[in-house]
Amino acid sequence: MTIKGLKIKKTAIFTLLLISMTTMMSNVAIVTALPRLQDYFSDIENIEFYSRLILTLPSLSIALLAPFLGHFVFRFGKKNSALAALFIFATTGSAGLFLEHIEAFLLSRAMFGISVATLMIVSTSLVGDYFQGEARHKFMGYQSAFMAIGGVSFVIGGGILSDINWRLPFGIYLMGFVLIPIAYLFLIEKRKDELFNLEDEITVPKKLIGIYLLGFFYMLIFFILPTQIPFLIIDTFQASGKVAGFIIGLAFFANALGAISFSKLKKRFDFFSIYIIALTIIAIGFIGVGLVNNLKLFFLTSTILGFGGGVMMTNVTAWMLSRTTFEKRVKSSGYMTSFMFLGQFCSPIVFHPLVSNFGVQTFFEIIGISLFAIIFLIMFYKLAIKS
């Protein structure tokens, strides 16, 4: 494959898939360890909130720093940025193997977020560099599927390891060290003298702001899945970490199927219509979780949630890339990363009062009904405009 004189080898594409997979690892690897981490630090006031913050604090770092990291990646180069980020990813991500203070946990997770933000910007912008049009849509489906399948492995592996010791899932992040030589040998990018001037890259088109906000809202809602379901499954339904891992892992497998389905949906619908379709599927999944009274039914309801999330995640990213150009791609990807991870960080904070007042399961039902109300209002508004 050649893009503007640059030959893209299959090894480079596979390396890009591996780097994309690490961004999915950023949180899912430790979700089943959080209830036991909460028990370990039970003497700390508000540990229930802090345990969820450990999961989402990297998202705050990403949200705050991603736009600036976009400039860094542009200056330093995508390959060099990926190598540095993988090193930070492995060292800070695995720090949970030995840390003894909750403050140290929070600091390490904040630093960890910097590496994830960089890797997301690199992977998203390289997708735009390597592929165009329909080929990009198809690859993005496979990329999201690869990320989701990786998520299945990591969340199930984390669940099994957390049953042995709650610290062991943090060791999964050591995989970053394995990826460093692979990225060094095989990742391809354009030479510096082929790039546009940085000044051309600074201004982000205003037409992307709406897409960024949709990405924020998607992540705000979807991240309820990893931040709340483990506590519901383990604490309320008394399941093991392994069972919780399999349930969440199945959701990520369904996420992969949803991502692959995107390219077929795109042939029939526009980006906005696909967003509404995916939001409807997610709403059904939320109501399903809210009505579950048997542990086995989580395998169905979590699958519905995961599938809808896979469609929406791929749709939002492809939508953004379709409205930007090569010279603006790094910066645009930085802002997209920022908005989506701000949604991740805000998710447990925004919804904590509802969870505290109504309980986790009733909370899921409330969110599902609210999403259907939003969908109805959007459709009513569009019909009103047409008439």
Side-chain angles (χ1 to χ4, degrees), residues 158-360:
I160 294 172
L161 291 173
S162 68
D163 281 340
I164 301 172
N165 187 297
W166 67 267
R167 290 186 180 274
L168 291 181
F170 288 91
I172 294 175
Y173 296 118
L174 292 170
M175 182 181 176
F177 286 128
V178 177
L179 294 180
I180 289 175
I182 296 175
Y184 177 77
L185 291 173
F186 302 121
L187 203 63
I188 297 174
E189 67 172 320
K190 278 185 170 290
R191 297 192 309 270
K192 277 283 186 179
D193 58 4
E194 293 178 310
L195 293 172
F196 292 83
N197 294 328
L198 182 62
E199 287 74 21
D200 295 330
E201 186 265 341
I202 289 178
T203 304
V204 178
K206 292 182 179 179
K207 60 185 177 181
L208 290 177
I209 294 176
I211 300 174
Y212 293 155
L213 291 174
L214 290 176
F216 168 83
F217 180 73
Y218 154 66
M219 199 60 78
L220 181 75
I221 297 300
F222 186 73
F223 214 65
I224 292 171
L225 176 64
T227 54
Q228 303 297 341
I229 273 193
F231 293 90
L232 178 61
I233 295 172
I234 294 174
D235 293 342
T236 304
F237 286 82
Q238 304 300 310
S240 66
K242 180 171 66 176
V243 172
F246 272 104
I247 290 173
I248 299 171
L250 185 61
F252 281 108
F253 179 75
N255 192 277
L257 297 179
I260 293 173
S261 301
F262 166 74
S263 62
K264 293 182 179 179
L265 287 171
K266 188 63 184 69
K267 293 177 180 178
R268 299 184 60 186
F269 303 101
D270 59 21
F271 287 115
F272 183 80
S273 297
I274 295 174
Y275 191 95
I276 296 299
I277 291 170
L279 194 62
T280 302
I281 296 171
I282 291 173
I284 294 171
F286 271 110
I287 291 178
V289 172
L291 297 176
V292 162
N293 57 12
N294 186 303
L295 182 64
K296 293 179 181 178
L297 293 176
F298 278 108
F299 287 98
L300 173 61
T301 55
S302 296
T303 298
I304 295 171
L305 264 173
F307 184 86
V311 174
M312 187 177 285
M313 177 67 179
T314 311
N315 179 63
V316 169
T317 308
W319 198 350
M320 183 273 295
L321 288 174
S322 72
R323 292 196 176 186
T324 189
T325 56
F326 178 84
E327 66 271 18
K328 293 181 173 66
R329 194 166 290 138
V330 173
K331 182 68 174 182
S332 300
S333 299
Y335 275 105
M336 188 68 186
T337 300
S338 179
F339 272 79
M340 294 191 75
F341 275 83
L342 182 62
Q344 279 194 14
F345 174 76
C346 290
S347 184
I349 296 174
V350 169
F351 297 121
H352 182 68
L354 281 175
V355 174
S356 298
N357 290 327
F358 295 99
V360 178

Side-chain angles (χ1 to χ4, degrees), residues 93-110:
S94 62
L97 288 169
F98 55 83
L99 293 176
E100 283 293 339
H101 301 284
I102 196 68
E103 295 85 359
F105 265 98
L106 295 173
L107 178 61
S108 69
R109 296 297 288 176

Side-chain angles (χ1 to χ4, degrees), residues 29-80:
I30 64 168
V31 291
T32 55
L34 295 183
R36 291 179 173 85
L37 179 148
Q38 181 175 305
D39 294 339
Y40 185 82
F41 291 103
S42 59
D43 58 323
I44 296 177
E45 189 178 357
N46 295 320
I47 186 57
E48 180 181 344
F49 173 72
Y50 288 135
S51 63
R52 287 166 170 82
L53 195 59
I54 284 174
L55 188 68
T56 60
L57 191 58
S59 304
L60 178 62
S61 295
I62 296 167
L64 294 177
L65 297 175
F68 305 101
L69 288 172
H71 288 296
F72 173 83
V73 170
F74 194 88
R75 288 183 181 276
F76 195 52
K78 297 170 188 175
K79 183 172 182 176
N80 290 333

